[in-house]
Amino acid sequence: MNYRNKWLSSICFASMMIGLATSCAEGVDVDENFNAGVSNTQLEAPELSEENLKVQVNGDGSESVDISWPVVLGAGGYLANVDIVNDPANPINIVKDSIIDGCHFSFPREVDTKYEITVSTLGNEKLNNKASVDASSIAYSTMLPATIIPEGVEISQFIADNLPAGTTEETAFELLAGKTYQLSGKADLKTANVTIRGDRYNRPFVVVSGEGTIINQNGVKIRNINFDMSDAPLTSLITLSPEPDPMFSTEALGLKALSSDVKDGFIVQNAISIESCNFRNLPGSIISSGEAGWAISNFRIDNCVVQFKKANSKPAINMEDCWSFGSIKTMTLSNSTFYNLSNIKCRFIRYGGRFKPNQIFGPGATCEHTLANSTFYKTFTGDQFANNMDQSQLTATITHCIFYDIMRLDQYCFRTGTTCVPSDNVSWLAGDEPKLHSNVLKISEEIDPNFTGPTDLEFNIDEAKGGVNFLPRASVCVEKKIGDPRWFE
């Protein structure tokens, strides 16, 4: 039995001792409860029901699924298996032949994942009861039910026609696997918290052009989609709404009542995240605050390749247009590569002013940013990596990252009110550029990562890794796996 199975069995045994009190008749001996005079019998598999699937929140914030079933009298235990079946032709086994002592067990719950759970009954030699011939099976999915966007339909118009009016609930739209779509208009998500997803094994392809952008104010998750931004407008993929709903104001959220220091403005409460997406020729920003006075509670990019071909000087993560307010409370950039093919002067991230988080997010608020296991290549050579971080009470955790031809990274971490927590990073300036700033040497080693290459090509959406290769060959990078993990695979 492997470690996972031991973990499952231990949990299930402990849970069984509690569960017996409620699932079996009171005052009945445990052995009698399981046996109840059942012997010399061909046992059946337990009945599995959706009603007996429950989500549990673990101490570290992760989630598990607990599945239970009625006792099969005379059983010698149960045998459980759980497969991830997002790709039915290639199931991934996460619980394999685990022997369960009780009547339930738990397994880790991941987002946007489909599972198949099977449980069979083990025989009992002492009672001459035979194991069930077949296993019971039940499907479980963590995918939010979605409205399918048909191929050939322009995305912004479809969303306008199908988004429930006035909703603030989670709403999902799904693009068909491997199909090509157009985003040429402003896809206004109104007050909904929206997921726009594709298929993780065969991503759809979205061509952005015209006025194409996603307008958001209550959080959006974009997953498993490839984007061609070659003809995209010089704005951003995601734009915070120019017409905020009053429900998202600092006054309506009760923050102004907590302190007279809190400014007037609006806050995106739910996460804005981009996960497992690739971008070709992004000319503007990934996200833009607009001028309405927005701040963001949580912004994440994970498992992405973002290839810029910048054609304006706006920051890649642009909160500068909300000059008195624009900021991000919690930001995570992880397991991703950001690279640029144009020589243009701009910043990677910029806040909208030098102010303290408690003036936006309420008393005691701080900002926490994490840059982890990511590669930054020429983003952007001609300007500061970050700006307006002063007084932001920012803690920046930077770990296992490569910064190649990145100017003034020190502006991110060494301003008044900022703290840097670095580990295992490397930085390098190519050509005849000046030496790294002394503060940059405090958070990274000066080492040429010596990328395998090529590193100067447009990202090819038709190839899994885009036809580029940012695998570092420097020994410290290889030994400590510094940079985006995809290049080590």
Side-chain angles (χ1 to χ4, degrees), residues 345-382:
K345 183 177 181 179
C346 70
R347 301 170 177 90
F348 188 80
I349 178 172
R350 194 183 194 208
Y351 274 8
R354 296 167 179 169
F355 40 74
K356 297 180 180 180
N358 66 292
Q359 296 174 326
I360 299 170
F361 301 102
T366 59
C367 290
E368 296 181 5
H369 292 184
T370 300
L371 278 58
N373 302 94
S374 292
T375 299
F376 299 83
Y377 181 88
K378 297 187 177 183
T379 53
F380 296 93
T381 304

Side-chain angles (χ1 to χ4, degrees), residues 192-211:
N193 177 17
V194 174
T195 294
I196 302 174
R197 70 183 184 227
D199 184 275
R200 71 174 65 188
Y201 298 101
N202 187 10
R203 295 178 186 170
F205 184 46
V206 174
V207 179
V208 183
S209 61
E211 295 184 319

Side-chain angles (χ1 to χ4, degrees), residues 422-439:
S423 63
D424 296 323
N425 306 299
V426 300
S427 296
W428 186 254
L429 294 180
D432 298 326
E433 297 290 342
K435 290 293 184 180
L436 292 168
H437 190 280
S438 59
N439 281 333

Side-chain angles (χ1 to χ4, degrees), residues 46 48 116-119 135-139:
L48 302 182
E116 183 177 21
I117 307 161
T118 58
V119 180
S136 293
S137 177
I138 188 171

Side-chain angles (χ1 to χ4, degrees), residues 231-304:
D231 297 318
L234 300 182
T235 51
S236 60
L237 176 68
I238 301 172
T239 304
L240 300 186
S241 178
E243 299 177 349
D245 192 288
M247 75 173 73
F248 303 120
S249 69
T250 52
E251 182 173 1
L253 294 171
L255 297 174
K256 287 184 70 67
L258 297 177
S259 171
S260 59
D261 290 335
V262 176
K263 299 181 176 184
D264 289 318
F266 303 89
I267 298 177
V268 182
Q269 293 284 88
N270 291 307
I272 296 176
S273 66
I274 304 172
E275 304 167 24
S276 301
C277 296
N278 295 324
F279 295 82
R280 177 168 68 199
N281 291 335
L282 180 63
S285 304
I286 301 170
I287 187 168
S288 174
S289 63
E291 300 178 358
W294 282 101
I296 298 172
S297 292
N298 192 315
F299 178 69
R300 302 194 301 263
I301 297 177
D302 180 64
N303 190 35
C304 295

